[in-house]
Every structure is written in C-alpha cells, then in structure tokens.
Amino acid sequence: MQRDILALRLEIMGQQHPDTMLAKSNLARTLSKRGHLDEAEKMQRDILSLSFKILGQRHPDVILEMHNLALTLSDRGQSDESERLQRDVLALQLEILGERHLDTIWAMNNLALTLYDRGQLDEAEKLQRKVMTLRLDILGPRHTHTISAMRNLAGILHDHGQLEEAEKIKRKILALTLEIVGGQHIDTIKAMESLARTLHNRGQLDEAERIWRETLGLRLEILGKMHIDTIATMDSLALTIYSYGQWDEAEKIWKEVLALRLEILGGQHRATIRVMSRIASTLHKRGQLDEAGKIWREILALRLESLGPRHIDTIDTMDSLALTLYGLGRWDEAEKMWREVLTLRLEILGQTHSDTVRAMKNLAVMLYNSRQWVEAEKMWREVFLLQLEIQGQQHPETLNASYDLALALYACGQFEEAAKLLQETVELRVQVFGEDHTHTLMAKKLLKTPSHVNGSAVRLIAL
C-alpha cells in the first residue's frame, strides 16, 4: 500500500513535493522496522539529501530525517555514523529549540542510549541524568517519559557497578508504577524483576528470591507457563537459588526451563543453549562431572555450528569444558583446550582483559599440578605483573597471584626469590585481610615451612 501511494505521488506531484517526500519517509520507516535495512538506508539518504537541498539543515523535517537515518544505521551496526548524526541532531535541537524543549530532551535520550549501547557509560550516564532531571521538572515524576528516563539511568548505573544508586532509583520506579497502573500490570512486573536483578548483584538474595517468586506467580497467572517471559522468570529465579547454593532446586527448575525452551524455541536457540550451560554448571558443582562434560560437549558443538570458533560464547564453553575435564583427571585434554582458549582470548580480547587473565591462571594451575613447574612459574609471573598493572598491589587477585607465583618459584628451587615474594605477600595480606584471615595464615604457614611445596594442588579459578 505504501509503495502504491508513493508511486502515485511521484507520478502526480513529482519527487520534490512535500507529500511525496512524506510518503517516501513513511515507507522508509516501515522498511527499517521490518528489517529491510539496506533499502531503508538508501531511501533515507535520498530523502535527507533532497530535504536538505530544499529546506536547509535547520528545518524540523530535515532534523527528523537525520534522526530516522541514525536509527537505521544503528540497527545496521554502523555505530560511528549513527552516533555522529545523533550528536548533530542534538546540537541543532539545542540551538533552535533550547534545552527544555521536549524534542531536544528526546534527542538527548536517544544519544544517551546509543552511547550506552557502545559502552561509553560515563557520557551516557551524564546525559541520562540530565534527561531525567529535565523530565522530572517539566513533566513530573508520574509521566511515562519521566519513568522511562529513570529506568534508563538505573540500567546504566547497574552496568556501571553503581548498584546502590541503581537500587534506589528502581525502588522509586516500582513505587510509582504500583501507584499508577497497579500490581498486575506488565510494567509493574518488569519493574519488580529489574529491582530483583540489582538486588541479586548486590548479594541481597533473600529479597531477590522473594521478588522472583512473586513475579513468577503473576506471570503464570497472567501469561501462562508456555510464555517466553514466564520461562525467563523461572530461569532468573533458578539463578538466584543457585547463588544460594540450593543446587538441587535450581537444577530442577532449569530442567523444566530447558524442556519448555526445547519445545518452543528449539535446540539451537541461544536461550536454550544458555540454560543447558547452567544445568552443566550445576552438575559440575554437584560433582556429577561425567554428565556435565557430556552437556558441555553438546553445547560446544552447537555453538561451533551456529557462532563459529572465535565467538566469545564458544570460547567460554571451551573454558568450561576444560574445567570439567580437569576435574575428571583428563589433564592432557584439559591443558590442550585451555591453551586454545588462551590463544583465542589473547588474539580477540587482548592480554589485559579479565577473561584472558583468567585463562592464563587456569592454564598456570594446570601446568603446576602436572609438575610442569618452569612453564607454570613463567605464566604465574606474567599473571602477577598483569594483576599489578590492572588492579594494583593490594587487590585480592594480585595477592593471590603473588602467592601462586611464590609456590611455583619454590617448586622450581628458586628459594630466595620465593621467600622474598612470600614475605611481601604476608605483609600485604595482613594489611588487607588482617592477621587471622585464612589467606594470611596460609601464606604465613608456607613461609615457615616451604619444604612441603612439591606440586600439590593449588587454587583453581574458573568462572
């Protein structure tokens, strides 16, 4: 229909008539929403070029077309140009309409979300705070746009690690939503679940579990068991229960989630594979390593097929399978896989990424326990230097790395360097943990009786 309207207007009115340009703009937006991004982008560039020529850069219709093209470019993954266009839109709106105009605030909001998606959290947070402040002042706290701005800011703060402030804002959102739309409205349920996620990350598992159980009851009542949102809530409840150490109940819920997702989404959907990985992790925790290994191999085959060997999820699966193989005593196979994981993470993520450092730690432990002490010492030294650079001398992970390096040095017969490093580790652990902390006492014991170091197992870190 929209194509027919555009064809008629082109024939009768010509390309430059405002009604023709409007029809073309409407068709382009429809194409973009339906995922026909190549055609949408081409059409929007034509409209923008023509509008700019006829109306000039400061005309509202031109600014709108810049905004529409920016959204399409964002959906196509052309983030640099999308961000640049959105900055241009905001600058024009600020100049023409002023900071307090709703269209200007909308442009600020869109740019903040783009920056958030691109990982530019500092600038995104600053912009979103401004959006929230302006909307609170102009529209009031109960307006949907104000609540949306609060929600966006809380999400940025959550991902930025500012969980206390995120929780505070999310509690306000929940109170407002309950007051405005009631307890059974989907917006209220979403607000409850958003708060539960932040509480989970803050370690407030009791309240998080209570909220997840309440929202699951609401979703079962309103949407039914087969709805994907109900299943997602079951998944989240199981994750909180798992964090408690209630692995039996978590596994039971996840197996139900898996059965439902297999039926609704199929075996190759990423949500299905994700819950398979959670079941495998639970089985590993419970010591059922054979069954865990079987599932990890199945997941790895699925991810290799759908994502390829260089995707981060595929590499994470290899890491988890290697850990299970290590637990089964199949050290040669585990070592080979961990070497592959490390190579890929170094290449894709770089040496200082936390996942890369963790891969180095796992391989170092593997080498140490299989009495390949010279190579283990070399890798622990590299880990220790990286931890010093990234997290500083007093960070717990740096102190763990210095202790493990000391173990490897003792095993290699480098007693003088080992003793010096261990003495420094003891002194720092006293400062950080206290005299009677387990980590401090363990380091003191090794310093007093280093002769017992003979390649016995050390701490294995793998998340």
Side-chain angles (χ1 to χ4, degrees):
M1 179 69 76
Q2 285 181 307
R3 289 186 189 276
D4 293 338
I5 292 169
L6 176 58
L8 284 168
R9 287 184 175 172
L10 280 166
E11 183 181 346
I12 297 166
M13 300 173 177
Q15 183 174 270
Q16 295 191 5
H17 193 281
D19 289 348
T20 306
M21 292 168 66
L22 178 61
K24 195 170 185 180
S25 179
N26 290 338
L27 175 57
R29 280 200 297 272
T30 299
L31 290 167
S32 184
K33 288 176 183 176
R34 295 179 67 183
H36 304 314
L37 300 179
D38 287 343
E39 189 178 0
E41 182 191 341
K42 184 178 183 300
M43 198 171 288
Q44 285 169 338
R45 288 190 186 279
D46 290 343
I47 298 163
L48 181 57
S49 177
L50 189 58
S51 300
F52 187 87
K53 181 180 176 182
I54 297 168
L55 302 172
Q57 187 183 30
R58 293 166 62 86
H59 194 280
D61 289 349
V62 176
I63 297 171
L64 176 62
E65 292 307 330
M66 291 169 67
H67 167 73
N68 291 338
L69 176 57
L71 294 182
T72 299
L73 291 169
S74 179
D75 289 341
R76 295 200 68 190
Q78 299 178 34
S79 302
D80 288 339
E81 189 178 0
S82 176
E83 182 187 329
R84 180 183 60 77
L85 272 173
Q86 288 186 64
R87 288 188 186 278
D88 290 343
V89 168
L90 178 56
L92 286 165
Q93 298 284 40
L94 283 165
E95 182 184 344
I96 297 164
L97 302 174
E99 183 180 77
R100 292 175 63 83
H101 194 282
L102 293 179
D103 288 349
T104 306
I105 299 168
W106 189 259
M108 291 171 63
N109 184 72
N110 289 336
L111 177 57
L113 292 175
T114 295
L115 293 168
Y116 170 68
D117 288 339
R118 301 196 70 192
Q120 300 176 41
L121 297 184
D122 288 335
E123 190 178 359
E125 180 190 334
K126 183 180 177 182
L127 264 180
Q128 198 66 60
R129 282 189 189 279
K130 199 165 195 177
V131 171
M132 186 181 77
T133 301
L134 288 165
R135 285 183 173 170
L136 278 167
D137 186 30
I138 297 165
L139 302 172
R142 291 168 60 89
H143 195 282
T144 54
H145 288 177
T146 306
I147 295 170
S148 175
M150 293 170 68
R151 188 183 303 116
N152 292 340
L153 177 58
I156 293 168
L157 291 168
H158 179 105
D159 289 354
H160 217 178
Q162 299 177 48
L163 298 179
E164 186 175 353
E165 188 180 359
E167 179 192 337
K168 186 179 178 181
I169 294 172
K170 288 183 178 186
R171 287 191 186 278
K172 286 181 182 176
I173 294 168
L174 178 56
L176 285 164
T177 311
L178 276 167
E179 183 184 338
I180 295 165
V181 296
Q184 291 205 326
H185 194 279
I186 192 65
D187 288 347
T188 306
I189 297 169
K190 286 180 178 179
M192 293 170 68
E193 293 185 341
S194 180
L195 175 59
R197 277 188 283 274
T198 298
L199 291 169
H200 178 109
N201 284 7
R202 292 200 72 197
Q204 299 176 35
L205 299 179
D206 284 339
E207 189 177 1
E209 181 188 349
R210 180 185 62 74
I211 293 173
W212 284 123
R213 289 191 186 278
E214 188 175 349
T215 58
L216 178 57
L218 289 166
R219 288 200 184 275
L220 283 167
E221 181 183 345
I222 297 165
L223 301 175
K225 191 173 188 177
M226 299 286 290
H227 194 281
I228 55 170
D229 289 343
T230 306
I231 299 166
T233 302
M234 294 171 65
D235 189 7
S236 297
L237 171 60
L239 192 60
T240 297
I241 291 169
Y242 176 87
S243 299
Y244 262 127
Q246 298 177 24
W247 300 329
D248 288 346
E249 188 180 0
E251 182 187 342
K252 182 181 177 182
I253 295 172
W254 272 327
K255 283 185 174 178
E256 192 173 357
V257 169
L258 177 59
L260 290 165
R261 284 185 173 162
L262 282 167
E263 183 178 350
I264 297 165
L265 302 174
Q268 293 198 328
H269 194 280
R270 61 184 180 182
T272 307
I273 296 170
R274 187 168 60 245
V275 77
M276 288 172 67
S277 71
R278 287 176 174 166
I279 291 170
S281 294
T282 307
L283 291 167
H284 184 106
K285 286 277 189 183
R286 296 178 65 189
Q288 297 171 242
L289 299 183
D290 283 325
E291 192 177 350
K294 182 180 176 183
I295 296 173
W296 282 126
R297 287 190 188 281
E298 189 178 348
I299 294 167
L300 180 57
L302 287 166
R303 285 183 166 160
L304 282 167
E305 181 183 348
S306 60
L307 302 174
R310 292 173 59 83
H311 192 281
I312 194 68
D313 290 346
T314 307
I315 300 166
D316 287 348
T317 304
M318 293 169 64
D319 191 17
S320 297
L321 175 56
L323 179 61
T324 299
L325 291 168
Y326 173 81
L328 286 166
R330 294 158 67 173
W331 288 3
D332 288 345
E333 199 175 347
E335 179 186 337
K336 181 182 176 182
M337 191 160 287
W338 264 326
R339 288 188 186 279
E340 192 173 350
V341 168
L342 178 56
T343 299
L344 287 165
R345 285 183 173 163
L346 281 167
E347 186 178 339
I348 297 165
L349 301 174
Q351 188 179 41
T352 59
H353 193 282
S354 58
D355 288 348
T356 306
V357 177
R358 188 172 69 248
M360 293 171 69
K361 291 176 186 177
N362 289 339
L363 181 56
V365 168
M366 177 77 256
L367 293 166
Y368 180 89
N369 291 339
S370 60
R371 296 177 177 266
Q372 300 176 57
W373 293 327
V374 173
E375 191 178 356
E377 180 267 326
K378 181 181 176 183
M379 190 154 289
W380 275 126
R381 190 180 295 278
E382 198 170 350
V383 169
F384 174 55
L385 293 173
L386 283 168
Q387 296 284 183
L388 272 175
E389 178 187 345
I390 298 164
Q391 295 174 310
Q393 189 179 37
Q394 293 195 333
H395 192 279
E397 287 301 324
T398 307
L399 296 175
N400 285 339
S402 65
Y403 176 83
D404 292 333
L405 174 57
L407 279 173
L409 287 165
Y410 274 127
C412 290
Q414 299 178 45
F415 301 117
E416 185 176 343
E417 185 181 358
K420 182 182 176 183
L421 180 61
L422 195 56
Q423 181 63 50
E424 292 172 2
T425 303
V426 168
E427 291 170 3
L428 286 166
R429 283 189 171 181
V430 168
Q431 291 177 34
V432 175
F433 300 120
E435 288 278 0
D436 299 324
H437 192 279
T438 305
H439 289 179
T440 307
L441 295 174
M442 187 167 59
K444 284 182 175 180
K445 181 179 179 182
L446 179 60
L447 188 61
K448 288 178 180 177
T449 56
S451 58
H452 79 278
V453 177
N454 59 2
S456 58
V458 295
R459 174 185 44 83
L460 180 63
I461 302 171
L463 301 178

Coordinates of all heavy atoms in Angstrom, one line a residue, residues 51-96:
S51 N 15.8 16.8 1.1 CA 15.2 17.7 2.1 C 16.2 18.8 2.5 O 15.8 20.0 2.6 CB 14.8 16.9 3.4 OG 13.9 15.9 3.1
F52 N 17.4 18.4 2.6 CA 18.5 19.4 2.9 C 18.6 20.4 1.8 O 18.7 21.6 2.1 CB 19.8 18.6 3.1 CG 20.9 19.5 3.6 CD1 21.1 19.7 5.0 CD2 21.8 20.1 2.8 CE1 22.1 20.5 5.5 CE2 22.8 20.9 3.2 CZ 23.0 21.1 4.6
K53 N 18.5 20.0 0.6 CA 18.7 20.9 -0.6 C 17.5 21.9 -0.6 O 17.7 23.1 -0.9 CB 18.7 20.0 -1.8 CG 18.9 20.8 -3.1 CD 18.9 19.9 -4.3 CE 19.0 20.7 -5.6 NZ 19.0 19.8 -6.8
I54 N 16.3 21.4 -0.3 CA 15.1 22.2 -0.5 C 14.8 23.1 0.8 O 14.5 24.2 0.6 CB 13.9 21.3 -0.8 CG1 14.0 20.6 -2.1 CG2 12.6 22.1 -0.8 CD1 13.0 19.4 -2.3
L55 N 15.0 22.4 2.0 CA 14.5 23.1 3.2 C 15.7 23.7 4.0 O 15.4 24.6 4.9 CB 13.8 22.1 4.0 CG 12.5 21.4 3.4 CD1 12.0 20.3 4.3 CD2 11.5 22.5 3.1
G56 N 16.9 23.2 3.8 CA 18.0 23.6 4.7 C 18.2 22.8 5.9 O 17.2 22.1 6.4
Q57 N 19.4 22.8 6.5 CA 19.7 21.9 7.6 C 18.9 22.2 8.9 O 18.6 21.2 9.6 CB 21.2 22.1 8.0 CG 21.7 21.1 9.0 CD 23.1 21.3 9.4 OE1 23.6 22.4 9.4 NE2 23.8 20.2 9.7
R58 N 18.4 23.4 9.1 CA 17.7 23.7 10.3 C 16.2 23.5 10.3 O 15.5 23.7 11.3 CB 18.0 25.2 10.7 CG 19.4 25.5 11.0 CD 19.7 27.0 11.0 NE 18.9 27.7 11.9 CZ 19.3 27.9 13.2 NH1 20.5 27.4 13.6 NH2 18.6 28.6 14.1
H59 N 15.7 23.0 9.2 CA 14.2 22.7 9.2 C 13.9 21.5 10.0 O 14.6 20.5 10.0 CB 13.8 22.5 7.7 CG 12.3 22.6 7.5 ND1 11.5 21.5 7.8 CD2 11.5 23.6 7.1 CE1 10.3 21.8 7.5 NE2 10.2 23.1 7.1
P60 N 12.8 21.5 10.7 CA 12.4 20.3 11.6 C 12.3 19.0 10.8 O 12.7 18.0 11.3 CB 11.0 20.7 12.1 CG 11.0 22.2 12.1 CD 11.9 22.6 10.9
D61 N 11.8 19.1 9.5 CA 11.7 17.8 8.7 C 13.1 17.3 8.4 O 13.3 16.0 8.4 CB 10.9 18.1 7.4 CG 9.5 18.4 7.7 OD1 9.0 18.1 8.8 OD2 8.8 18.8 6.7
V62 N 14.1 18.1 8.2 CA 15.4 17.7 7.9 C 16.0 17.0 9.1 O 16.6 15.9 9.1 CB 16.3 18.8 7.4 CG1 17.7 18.4 7.2 CG2 15.8 19.4 6.1
I63 N 15.8 17.6 10.3 CA 16.3 17.1 11.5 C 15.7 15.7 11.8 O 16.3 14.8 12.3 CB 16.1 18.1 12.7 CG1 16.9 19.4 12.4 CG2 16.5 17.5 14.0 CD1 16.5 20.5 13.4
L64 N 14.4 15.6 11.5 CA 13.7 14.3 11.7 C 14.3 13.3 10.8 O 14.5 12.1 11.3 CB 12.2 14.5 11.4 CG 11.3 13.2 11.5 CD1 11.4 12.6 12.9 CD2 9.9 13.5 11.1
E65 N 14.6 13.6 9.6 CA 15.2 12.6 8.7 C 16.6 12.2 9.1 O 17.0 11.0 8.9 CB 15.2 13.1 7.2 CG 13.8 13.3 6.6 CD 12.9 12.0 6.7 OE1 13.5 10.9 6.7 OE2 11.7 12.2 6.8
M66 N 17.3 13.1 9.7 CA 18.6 12.8 10.2 C 18.5 11.8 11.4 O 19.2 10.8 11.4 CB 19.3 14.0 10.8 CG 19.8 15.0 9.7 SD 20.3 16.6 10.4 CE 21.8 16.1 11.3
H67 N 17.5 12.0 12.2 CA 17.2 11.1 13.3 C 16.8 9.7 12.8 O 17.3 8.7 13.3 CB 16.1 11.7 14.2 CG 15.5 10.7 15.1 ND1 16.1 10.3 16.3 CD2 14.3 10.1 15.1 CE1 15.4 9.4 16.9 NE2 14.3 9.3 16.3
N68 N 15.9 9.7 11.8 CA 15.5 8.4 11.3 C 16.6 7.6 10.6 O 16.7 6.4 10.8 CB 14.4 8.6 10.2 CG 13.1 9.1 10.8 OD1 12.8 8.9 12.0 ND2 12.3 9.8 10.0
L69 N 17.5 8.3 9.9 CA 18.7 7.6 9.3 C 19.6 7.1 10.4 O 20.1 6.0 10.3 CB 19.4 8.6 8.4 CG 20.7 8.1 7.7 CD1 20.4 6.8 7.0 CD2 21.3 9.1 6.9
A70 N 19.8 7.9 11.4 CA 20.6 7.4 12.6 C 20.1 6.1 13.2 O 20.9 5.2 13.5 CB 20.7 8.5 13.6
L71 N 18.8 6.0 13.3 CA 18.3 4.8 13.9 C 18.5 3.6 13.0 O 18.9 2.5 13.5 CB 16.8 5.0 14.2 CG 16.4 6.0 15.2 CD1 14.8 6.0 15.4 CD2 17.0 5.7 16.6
T72 N 18.3 3.8 11.7 CA 18.6 2.7 10.8 C 20.0 2.3 10.8 O 20.4 1.1 10.8 CB 18.1 3.1 9.3 OG1 16.7 3.4 9.4 CG2 18.4 2.0 8.3
L73 N 20.9 3.3 10.8 CA 22.4 3.0 10.8 C 22.7 2.2 12.1 O 23.6 1.3 12.0 CB 23.2 4.3 10.7 CG 23.1 5.0 9.4 CD1 23.7 6.4 9.5 CD2 23.8 4.2 8.3
S74 N 22.1 2.6 13.2 CA 22.4 1.9 14.4 C 22.0 0.4 14.3 O 22.7 -0.5 14.8 CB 21.6 2.6 15.6 OG 21.8 1.9 16.8
D75 N 20.8 0.2 13.7 CA 20.3 -1.2 13.6 C 21.2 -2.0 12.6 O 21.3 -3.2 12.7 CB 18.9 -1.2 13.0 CG 17.9 -0.7 14.0 OD1 18.2 -0.8 15.2 OD2 16.7 -0.4 13.6
R76 N 21.9 -1.3 11.7 CA 22.8 -2.0 10.8 C 24.2 -2.2 11.4 O 25.1 -2.8 10.7 CB 22.9 -1.2 9.5 CG 21.6 -1.1 8.7 CD 22.0 -0.7 7.2 NE 22.7 -1.8 6.6 CZ 23.2 -1.7 5.4 NH1 23.2 -0.5 4.7 NH2 23.8 -2.7 4.8
G77 N 24.4 -1.7 12.6 CA 25.7 -1.8 13.2 C 26.7 -0.7 12.8 O 27.9 -0.8 13.1
Q78 N 26.2 0.3 12.1 CA 27.1 1.4 11.7 C 27.1 2.5 12.8 O 26.5 3.6 12.7 CB 26.7 2.0 10.4 CG 26.7 0.9 9.2 CD 26.2 1.5 7.9 OE1 26.4 2.6 7.6 NE2 25.6 0.6 7.1
S79 N 27.7 2.1 14.0 CA 27.5 2.9 15.2 C 28.2 4.2 15.1 O 27.7 5.2 15.7 CB 28.1 2.1 16.4 OG 27.5 0.8 16.5
D80 N 29.3 4.3 14.4 CA 30.1 5.6 14.4 C 29.3 6.7 13.7 O 29.1 7.8 14.2 CB 31.4 5.4 13.6 CG 32.4 4.6 14.5 OD1 32.3 4.6 15.7 OD2 33.4 4.1 13.9
E81 N 28.7 6.3 12.5 CA 27.9 7.3 11.8 C 26.6 7.6 12.5 O 26.2 8.8 12.5 CB 27.7 6.8 10.3 CG 27.1 7.9 9.5 CD 26.8 7.5 8.0 OE1 27.2 6.3 7.7 OE2 26.3 8.3 7.2
S82 N 26.0 6.6 13.1 CA 24.8 6.8 13.8 C 25.0 7.8 15.0 O 24.2 8.7 15.2 CB 24.3 5.5 14.4 OG 23.1 5.7 15.1
E83 N 26.1 7.6 15.7 CA 26.4 8.5 16.9 C 26.6 9.9 16.4 O 26.2 10.9 17.0 CB 27.6 7.9 17.6 CG 27.9 8.8 18.8 CD 29.3 8.4 19.5 OE1 29.6 7.2 19.5 OE2 29.9 9.3 20.1
R84 N 27.4 10.0 15.3 CA 27.7 11.3 14.7 C 26.4 12.1 14.4 O 26.3 13.3 14.7 CB 28.7 11.2 13.5 CG 29.0 12.6 12.9 CD 29.9 12.4 11.7 NE 29.2 11.7 10.6 CZ 28.3 12.2 9.9 NH1 27.9 13.4 10.0 NH2 27.8 11.4 8.9
L85 N 25.5 11.4 13.7 CA 24.3 12.0 13.3 C 23.4 12.4 14.5 O 22.8 13.5 14.5 CB 23.5 11.0 12.4 CG 23.7 11.0 10.9 CD1 23.0 9.9 10.2 CD2 23.3 12.4 10.3
Q86 N 23.4 11.6 15.5 CA 22.6 11.9 16.7 C 23.2 13.1 17.4 O 22.5 13.9 18.0 CB 22.5 10.7 17.6 CG 21.6 9.6 17.0 CD 21.4 8.5 18.0 OE1 20.8 8.7 19.0 NE2 21.8 7.3 17.6
R87 N 24.5 13.2 17.4 CA 25.2 14.4 18.0 C 24.8 15.7 17.2 O 24.5 16.7 17.8 CB 26.7 14.2 18.1 CG 27.1 13.2 19.1 CD 28.7 13.2 19.2 NE 29.1 12.2 20.1 CZ 29.2 12.3 21.5 NH1 28.7 13.4 22.1 NH2 29.6 11.3 22.2
D88 N 24.7 15.5 15.9 CA 24.3 16.7 15.1 C 22.9 17.1 15.3 O 22.6 18.3 15.4 CB 24.5 16.3 13.6 CG 26.0 16.2 13.1 OD1 26.8 16.7 13.9 OD2 26.2 15.6 12.1
V89 N 22.0 16.1 15.4 CA 20.6 16.3 15.7 C 20.5 17.1 17.1 O 19.8 18.1 17.2 CB 19.8 15.0 15.8 CG1 18.4 15.2 16.4 CG2 19.7 14.4 14.4
L90 N 21.2 16.6 18.1 CA 21.1 17.2 19.4 C 21.6 18.6 19.4 O 21.0 19.6 20.0 CB 21.8 16.4 20.4 CG 21.9 17.0 21.9 CD1 20.4 17.2 22.4 CD2 22.6 16.0 22.8
A91 N 22.7 18.9 18.7 CA 23.3 20.2 18.6 C 22.3 21.2 17.9 O 22.1 22.3 18.4 CB 24.6 20.2 17.8
L92 N 21.6 20.7 16.9 CA 20.7 21.6 16.2 C 19.4 21.8 17.1 O 18.9 23.0 17.1 CB 20.2 20.9 14.9 CG 21.3 20.9 13.7 CD1 20.9 19.9 12.7 CD2 21.4 22.3 13.2
Q93 N 19.0 20.8 17.7 CA 17.8 21.0 18.6 C 18.1 21.9 19.7 O 17.3 22.8 20.1 CB 17.3 19.6 19.2 CG 16.9 18.6 18.2 CD 15.5 18.9 17.6 OE1 15.2 20.0 17.3 NE2 14.8 17.8 17.4
L94 N 19.3 21.8 20.3 CA 19.7 22.7 21.4 C 19.7 24.2 20.9 O 19.3 25.1 21.6 CB 21.0 22.3 22.0 CG 21.1 21.1 22.9 CD1 22.5 20.6 23.1 CD2 20.4 21.5 24.3
E95 N 20.3 24.4 19.7 CA 20.4 25.7 19.1 C 19.1 26.3 18.7 O 18.8 27.5 19.0 CB 21.3 25.6 17.9 CG 21.6 27.0 17.3 CD 22.4 26.8 16.0 OE1 23.1 25.8 15.8 OE2 22.5 27.8 15.2
I96 N 18.2 25.5 18.1 CA 16.9 26.0 17.6 C 15.8 26.1 18.6 O 15.1 27.0 18.7 CB 16.5 25.1 16.4 CG1 17.5 25.2 15.3 CG2 15.1 25.6 15.9 CD1 17.4 24.1 14.2

